[in-house]
Amino acid sequence: MIRAIVTDIEGTTGSIAFVHEVLFPYARRHLGDFVRQHGNEPVVAEQVEAVRHLADEPEADLERVIAILEGWIDDDRKVTPLKALQGLVWERGYRNGDFTGHVYPDAVDGLQRWHQAGIALYVYSSGSVQAQKLLFAHSDAGDLTSLFTGYFDTTTGPKREMASYRRIVEVIGEPAESVLFLSDVVAELDAAAEAGLRTVQLVREPGMTTGAHFVAANFDAVPLDG
Ligand SMILES: CSCCC(=O)C(=O)COP(=O)(O)O
Ligand SMILES: [Mg+2]
């Protein structure tokens, strides 16, 4: 019996296009000025220092750090300091009404249905927990945050590593086999299955790589039995 569902965001609850054509370009446009303006504030300074450490450039000045971050956006690197800073930059975009978080209507329905059925819902995304909460608080369908029990990001570990899912299951406090992980990415599903979780792959667009996981075209087709 499924007692908890952990869902990915990009390509699962919302479109890949929203992340790559709205969120990432917004961060690319505003990140430099944001870091220049707020670089002395502890929450930003901590991430700037983490960039220097991760890039192995301890002497990098602020302009060099910004260039590193912009390169990481271009390469879609799922690294914690970039993700934390992106979340801070997107906050302004959501609050200004520059965009709303894309969530597929079937995902809204499915999440509401499962929540009403007493299944605990969690998010696991490379986007920071702050960015996840912003997306669901300012979604196309309104504030959906009350549906979720908890959020996990790269501070729990990379999404393609089995140990990350072991940690998530420990926090959830349910047996791995009663936790279902939803994602569009086979490598993430492989890692979750290795940790003993049940898995379903969302294939929302033609031509996506599939693997050994049950495939669903949308949340209506996600089976909770068998
Ligand atoms: C929290 S919305 C932004 C998502 C993001 O930054 C990202 O890299 C997508 O990662 P996911 O793990 O949801 O595929
Ligand atoms: Mg995804």
Side-chain angles (χ1 to χ4, degrees):
M1 183 182 173
I2 297 297
R3 304 187 67 87
I5 296 176
V6 181
T7 183
D8 164 57
I9 292 181
E10 179 192 313
T12 302
T13 58
S15 72
I16 294 172
F18 171 66
V19 174
H20 285 262
E21 291 168 23
V22 178
L23 288 182
F24 287 174
Y26 186 91
R28 186 76 166 74
R29 275 198 306 280
H30 297 287
L31 195 111
D33 280 347
F34 179 84
V35 171
R36 284 181 201 105
Q37 281 164 22
H38 301 279
N40 289 329
E41 295 168 22
V43 68
V44 177
E46 185 189 340
Q47 301 307 331
V48 167
E49 204 44 46
V51 173
R52 291 189 178 108
H53 179 74
L54 199 61
D56 204 16
E57 294 190 32
E59 306 302 328
D61 65 15
L62 209 54
E63 291 307 314
R64 175 62 193 145
V65 168
I66 290 165
I68 293 168
L69 284 163
E70 289 174 346
W72 286 351
I73 293 177
D74 295 344
D75 295 342
D76 192 12
R77 292 279 305 278
K78 309 290 191 190
V79 285
T80 302
L82 170 64
K83 292 293 153 187
L85 290 167
Q86 280 178 324
L88 293 168
V89 171
W90 290 330
E91 179 168 16
R92 191 172 60 179
Y94 284 113
R95 293 207 194 287
N96 287 348
D98 292 339
F99 45 77
T100 52
H102 180 257
V103 184
Y104 290 109
D106 63 84
V108 177
D109 291 349
L111 292 167
Q112 285 172 338
R113 191 170 59 248
W114 297 331
H115 178 68
Q116 272 166 18
I119 297 169
L121 302 177
Y122 296 83
V123 179
Y124 183 27
S125 169
S126 304
S128 67
V129 166
Q130 185 214 8
Q132 299 171 23
K133 288 179 177 171
L134 283 167
L135 189 152
F136 287 111
H138 301 271
S139 91
D140 301 339
D143 186 352
L144 301 175
T145 52
S146 64
L147 299 176
F148 295 104
T149 299
Y151 303 82
F152 301 96
D153 62 17
T154 53
T155 60
T156 296
K159 291 181 76 185
R160 298 176 185 211
E161 286 183 13
M162 187 253 284
S164 306
Y165 297 87
R166 286 243 166 99
R167 287 185 205 110
I168 286 172
V169 162
E170 243 179 73
V171 173
I172 291 175
E174 299 285 355
E177 63 272 17
S178 66
V179 179
L180 172 64
F181 179 56
L182 306 177
S183 176
D184 59 324
V185 174
V186 172
E188 296 174 5
L189 294 160
D190 286 346
E194 215 188 323
L197 283 76
R198 305 251 300 267
T199 54
V200 170
Q201 181 181 13
L202 274 295
V203 176
R204 292 185 174 276
E205 292 171 19
M208 290 191 56
T209 306
T210 56
H213 307 276
F214 186 93
V215 167
N218 54 50
F219 276 31
D220 298 336
V222 172
L224 296 190
D225 49 0

